[in-house]
Amino acid sequence: MEKNTATTIFESLSSGLRLDVYRLLVRKGTEGMVAGEIASTLDVPPTNLSFHLKALTQAGMLTVEAEGRFQRYRANLPLMLDLIAYLTEECCSGHPEQCADMRAASKCPDAVLPPFSSTPQTSEK
Amino acid sequence: MEKNTATTIFESLSSGLRLDVYRLLVRKGTEGMVAGEIASTLDVPPTNLSFHLKALTQAGMLTVEAEGRFQRYRANLPLMLDLIAYLTEECCSGHPEQCADMRAASKCPDAVLPPFSSTPQTSEK
DNA sequence: TGAATAATACAACAATAGTTGAAATAACAA
DNA sequence: TTGTTATTTCAACTATTGTTGTATTATTCA
């Protein structure tokens, strides 16, 4: 993953409203929601929502599909998993026992750090 | 996790420089680095780095420990794992088969979505 | 003690992001 | 066709963030 891709993703989730949108769509899964439905659910002006949907979509966090005059948005979960892999790339490089310690300290020990659990990731700097 | 915690974390990683700092420290593991070492490695003015270290530390992404007149910074990996759990909370609520599909679409299929892995494995439907 | 070093705080300015209402575009329905 | 609905684009304004140099605090060492 490119560094710019990662920062754009983080930027896209750094607003409370955009985070609400993304999490709402994660819950909806493959069904997704159309723009107006999202706007009324979160009680934001359509023009403002459109601004944030654009940011999320350009970051790749959402996909959009036209349905007549509606636009259906869905969360792009695979991209999130790729981001996680990028973040933990070369974690504790050369010292896997440290990774195990940190993992155990999480409230969610079932979350597997990709480079620790499996084949080494290719580092693209 | 509080929503404000999550947006502050994303905000803290939305700058290219702060992302460089975080990833550098993830690689260093429990050893960490002192501020001046980070500044010279990334070639940024100390005053500017200090600004960004403060943001990352206030977001909880870094810990800091005084060593005489040095300040040693380390990445807080457990918080990242908690963030992942928060993001994928209630993913595809009620439709685990969708989660499996999305997971398979990732470049990193070994990355386990926490709420999916802790969901009862007995599939009905 | 006094000089040197590590790091942060402050102030000023430059740059970017967020919100809103009005207007434009495009699809549907009567 | 004409009117209605869904969504986006645009322009203006407000608010926030990023960078830099200087000053300050605190620690080490001669």
Side-chain angles (χ1 to χ4, degrees):
Chain A
M1 180 179 287
E2 298 268 340
K3 186 171 100 176
N4 282 348
T5 306
T7 54
T8 305
I9 292 172
F10 288 125
E11 161 67 29
S12 78
L13 294 176
S14 68
S15 130
L17 178 49
R18 287 195 296 265
L19 183 57
D20 285 340
V21 170
Y22 179 73
R23 281 176 28 99
L24 178 60
L25 290 173
V26 164
R27 269 176 242 127
K28 284 286 177 173
T30 54
E31 182 194 349
M33 290 174 86
V34 298
E37 197 183 354
I38 301 170
S40 59
T41 300
L42 299 179
D43 194 30
V44 288
T47 184
N48 190 13
L49 180 70
S50 187
F51 171 84
H52 292 294
L53 286 174
K54 187 179 174 185
L56 283 162
T57 304
Q58 285 180 345
M61 296 305 287
L62 303 184
T63 61
V64 58
E65 184 186 8
E67 283 181 7
R69 61 185 151 164
F70 299 86
Q71 300 286 315
R72 183 166 297 270
Y73 287 88
R74 295 183 180 89
N76 180 5
L77 219 41
L79 181 63
M80 175 56 63
L81 298 176
D82 295 343
L83 178 69
I84 293 165
Y86 172 78
L87 274 175
T88 52
E89 229 174 66
E90 298 176 51
C91 170
C92 307
S93 44
H95 301 277
E97 75 284 358
Q98 291 182 9
C99 263
D101 290 346
M102 292 202 196
R103 198 159 61 104
S106 168
K107 275 184 272 182
C108 181
D110 286 336
V112 174
L113 290 178
F116 176 57
S117 68
S118 68
T119 56
Q121 306 289 307
T122 52
S123 169
E124 44 183 301
K125 187 75 181 284
Chain B
M1 181 178 287
E2 298 269 336
K3 187 172 98 174
N4 281 348
T5 307
T7 55
T8 304
I9 292 172
F10 288 125
E11 162 68 28
S12 78
L13 294 175
S14 68
S15 132
L17 178 49
R18 287 195 296 264
L19 184 56
D20 285 340
V21 170
Y22 180 73
R23 279 173 31 95
L24 178 60
L25 290 174
V26 165
R27 268 177 243 126
K28 285 287 176 171
T30 54
E31 181 193 352
M33 289 175 86
V34 299
E37 197 183 354
I38 301 170
S40 58
T41 300
L42 300 178
D43 194 29
V44 288
T47 183
N48 190 13
L49 179 70
S50 187
F51 172 84
H52 292 294
L53 287 174
K54 187 179 173 184
L56 283 161
T57 304
Q58 285 180 344
M61 296 305 287
L62 303 184
T63 61
V64 58
E65 184 186 8
E67 283 181 8
R69 59 183 153 167
F70 298 88
Q71 299 285 315
R72 182 166 298 270
Y73 288 88
R74 296 183 179 88
N76 179 5
L77 219 40
L79 181 63
M80 175 57 64
L81 298 177
D82 295 342
L83 178 68
I84 294 165
Y86 172 78
L87 274 175
T88 53
E89 231 172 63
E90 297 175 53
C91 171
C92 306
S93 44
H95 301 277
E97 74 285 357
Q98 291 182 9
C99 263
D101 291 346
M102 291 199 196
R103 198 158 61 105
S106 167
K107 275 185 271 180
C108 180
D110 287 334
V112 174
L113 290 177
F116 176 57
S117 64
S118 59
T119 298
Q121 304 295 322
T122 52
S123 182
E124 63 294 323
K125 186 129 205 119

